[in-house]
């Protein structure tokens, strides 16, 4: 057998049926959409969708890292909002603040993530609870800070450029940023000890610990990364809308989890590929876009959205029969 | 270990929740300008009972080692439905109440069926069904509105003999009529056993599937009772996304405060009820101390954080590091 065919077989093996199904669903959605309107297959529309998907993609990247560990991060909504609000707030402090706006926003997110990580890894509190609580605290801090209204500070030029500009004509910057983050994530998961450890912990933390991995530090780092990525998503969203808003993150928690799970990552951890998450993100974005283009009222959109997620999960997200 | 010691240990979570509630309530009424009067208690009861119902619903799922992130949405859905149906003559009202409760139970059973027979993870499955239930609620009430049979509403939110809040009596009745029989039945024990260790429960021949399904169904039913009471208090139906989400979140907080283990198999809905009442009382402490309501979300978040950190104290009892990873 030649090396080329061997490699090809390895590649085929690495393709998860779940990932293939997700890509199949994307094609199906596009075909269904094109029956409704020709423009669904136009490059402009697809590029626009990719741009919208990028924000979710960046947030879902962090979520995936945490889900691979067998944990979950429910603090996404207010981490996104905190990142956005703090970046905008920093912009109000003269030229230095403007320069440091983006790092400062991300740093706030990393702080929230670190807090989650310490709670989960060192205090051994279930991640669902810690992250719910930090979400509530972050919300409380932001409500006190903004006085209950959307803050008046607006996004810096750099944030707007990252979110809406195009360095290479035709390719929006956010898509580029998502690609960079995605490449880094793939490298991290497949080529570094950290990535192997993440899968190991997701499969069985006890075994990973016994084989000499500092599991607690890895879990903490993963949560910090998730917080940072959520906040970065928030910074970019603020740049996109040119200001931060109270509930801007609410619309990202469920889609991020759904995208990760629909992409074939096991919610119990230890199994999943980044390609699947990319598929899941695009799938969710397309679904939302098609539902809004057909001018379905909000109620109908929610129902279809929920039903589709359940059906797809029943298709390939089922746990093995337990006996 | 003596018998009473064993029983005390079993109910430690519930008793702690009761103690927290009593202390908080004493602080609350002692500082309330009106003091310990029937009016103050009625208002506090009416606010607390809603969360108590939702927390009780959450407990039933949590003891099976699941979690119901759609419970707040079932609460909203039944509220919107009740604002259409629970009106008119006594017969129509009674029919409306039955339909609302049946719909709640159906929502719960749907969650259960998807989790048990569809073998999906409860957390993801209920996020998705929550979106569906919210969609239906929005379909029923795109704008806040509707009405309710005011005689019934006033009777259930008023006071009995001018002293005892009727809503508290209703809550106690639900605990006695639904929770106590359920937790003592074979299916209730099976739900506990499944939450504690599904494999062992299966090996011992317990009816875990039916037990879990019953737990999910009753959870939906109790959430619907909460929705009914929300309608009785507000006289309207309102599909407010933020409110549904908040109830889901607070129900988890109440369950944790009430000493119910999120890993399943341990705890009682009675503890969760006290946890809910305590959580509401703590939230209201801000008002009696005359602080800016702007601080309320932060305050509630910090309480939640403090409550869950208490659970981490168990770490100090761990002798073998491998027990960290249970």
């Amino acid at each position: 057998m030649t090396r080329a065919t061997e490699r090809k077989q390895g590649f085929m093996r690495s393709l998860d049926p779940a990932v293939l199904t997700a890509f199949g669903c994307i094609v199906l959605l596009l075909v269904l959409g094109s029956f409704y309107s020709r423009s669904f297959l136009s490059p402009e529309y697809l590029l626009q969708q990719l741009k919208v998907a990028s924000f979710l993609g960046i947030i879902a990247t962090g979520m995936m890292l945490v889900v691979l560990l067998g944990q979950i991060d429910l603090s996404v909504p207010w981490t996104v909002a905190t990142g956005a609000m703090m970046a905008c707030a920093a912009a109000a402090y003269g030229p230095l603040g403007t320069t440091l706006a983006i790092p400062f926003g991300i740093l706030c997110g990393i702080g929230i993530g670190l807090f989650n990580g310490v709670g989960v890894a060192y205090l051994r509190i279930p991640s669902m609870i810690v992250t719910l609580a930090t979400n509530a605290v972050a919300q409380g801090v932001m409500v006190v800070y903004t006085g209950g209204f959307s803050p008046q500070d607006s996004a810096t030029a750099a944030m707007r450029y990252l979110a809406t500009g195009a360095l290479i004509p035709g390719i929006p910057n956010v898509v580029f940023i998502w690609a960079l983050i995605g490449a880094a994530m793939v490298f991290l998961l497949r080529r570094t000890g950290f990535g192997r450890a993440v899968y190991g912990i997701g499969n069985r933390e006890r075994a990973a610990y016994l084989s000499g991995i500092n599991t607690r530090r890895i879990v903490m780092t993963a949560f910090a990364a998730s917080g940072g990525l959520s906040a970065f998503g928030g910074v970019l969203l603020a740049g996109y809308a040119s200001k931060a808003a109270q509930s801007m993150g609410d619309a990202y928690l469920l889609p991020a989890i759904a995208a990760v799970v629909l992409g074939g990552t096991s919610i119990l951890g230890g199994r999943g590929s980044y390609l699947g998450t990319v598929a899941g993100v695009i799938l969710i974005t397309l679904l939302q876009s098609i539902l809004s283009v057909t001018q379905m009222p909000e109620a109908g959109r929610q129902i279809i959205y929920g039903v589709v997620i359940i059906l797809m999960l029943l298709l390939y997200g089922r746990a093995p029969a337990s006996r | 270990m003596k018998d009473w010691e064993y029983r005390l240990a079993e109910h430690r979570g519930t008793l702690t929740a009761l103690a927290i509630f009593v202390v908080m309530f004493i602080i609350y009424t002692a500082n309330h300008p009106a003091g310990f009067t029937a009016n103050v208690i009625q208002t506090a009861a009416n606010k607390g009972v809603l969360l108590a119902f939702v927390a009780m619903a959450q407990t039933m799922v949590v003891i099976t080692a699941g979690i119901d992130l759609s419970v707040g949405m079932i609460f909203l859905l039944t509220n919107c439905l009740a604002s259409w149906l629970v009106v008119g003559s006594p017969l129509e009202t009674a029919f409306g109440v039955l339909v609302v409760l049946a719909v709640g139970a159906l929502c719960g059973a749907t969650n259960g069926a998807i989790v048990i027979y569809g073998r999906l993870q409860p957390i993801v499955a209920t996020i998705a069904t929550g979106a569906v239930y919210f969609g239906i609620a929005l379909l029923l009430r795109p704008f806040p509105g509707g009405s309710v049979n005011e005689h019934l509403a006033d009777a259930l939110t008023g006071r009995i003999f001018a002293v005892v809040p009727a809503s508290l009596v209703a809550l106690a009745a639900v605990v006695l009529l639904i929770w106590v029989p359920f937790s003592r039945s074979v299916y209730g024990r099976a739900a506990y056993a499944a939450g504690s260790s599904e494999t062992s429960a299966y090996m011992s021949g317990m009816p875990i599937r039916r037990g879990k399904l019953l737990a999910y169904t009753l959870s939906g039913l109790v959430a619907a009772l909460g929705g009914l009471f929300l309608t009785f208090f507000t006289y309207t139906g309102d599909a407010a996304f933020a409110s549904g989400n908040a109830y889901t979140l607070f129900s988890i907080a109440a369950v944790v405060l009430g000493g119910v283990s999120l890993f399943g198999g341990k705890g009682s809905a009675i503890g969760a009820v006290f946890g809910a009442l305590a959580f509401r009382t703590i939230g209201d402490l801000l008002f009696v101390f005359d602080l800016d309501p702007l601080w309320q979300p932060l305050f509630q978040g910090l309480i939640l954080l403090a409550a869950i950190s208490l659970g981490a104290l168990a770490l100090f009892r761990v002798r073998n590091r491998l027990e960290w990873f249970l």
Side-chain angles (χ1 to χ4, degrees), chain B residues 277-300:
Chain B
L277 296 178
F279 188 79
R280 273 283 185 248
T281 312
I282 297 170
D284 287 346
L285 279 180
L286 278 180
F287 295 113
V288 296
F289 287 118
D290 216 15
L291 288 167
D292 194 337
L294 215 54
W295 289 80
Q296 200 187 15
L298 180 58
F299 194 61
Q300 281 183 331

Side-chain angles (χ1 to χ4, degrees), chain A residues 122-124 126 128-129 132-133 137 140-141 143 147 205-206 209 216 254 267 298-299 302 306 310 318-319 321 323, chain B residues 117-119 121 123 127-128 131 135 138-139 202 249 252 262-263 294 298 301 305 308 312 315 321-322 324-325:
Chain A
Y122 291 90
L123 301 179
R124 314 300 310 175
M128 199 160 48
I129 313 304
L132 267 180
V137 172
V141 172
V143 166
E205 185 167 4
R206 210 178 241 222
Y209 177 78
R216 296 190 290 178
L254 305 191
I267 194 90
E298 171 71 11
Q302 290 278 347
I310 293 269
R318 301 178 73 185
R323 51 203 70 118
Chain B
Y117 301 104
R119 298 202 303 267
Q121 283 302 312
I123 183 165
I127 281 177
L138 208 56
L139 216 54
Y202 176 75
L249 173 69
I252 297 174
L262 285 158
F263 298 109
L294 215 54
L298 180 58
L305 208 57
I308 59 169
L315 275 187
R321 283 189 184 184
L322 283 180
W324 285 342
F325 308 119

Side-chain angles (χ1 to χ4, degrees), chain A residues 122-159:
Chain A
Y122 291 90
L123 301 179
R124 314 300 310 175
I125 308 169
S127 55
M128 199 160 48
I129 313 304
V130 180
T131 53
L132 267 180
T134 41
N135 188 47
V137 172
Q139 174 182 14
V141 172
M142 286 300 117
V143 166
V144 169
Y145 170 75
T146 60
F149 302 102
S150 285
Q152 291 305 306
D153 316 315
S154 58
T156 63
M159 283 159 70

Side-chain angles (χ1 to χ4, degrees), chain B residues 78 81-82 85-86 92-106 221 224 228:
Chain B
T78 47
L81 193 63
L85 293 179
V86 186
E92 284 169 331
T93 305
F95 174 74
V97 169
L98 283 182
V99 171
V100 168
L101 293 182
V103 167
L106 184 69
L221 179 74
L228 267 181

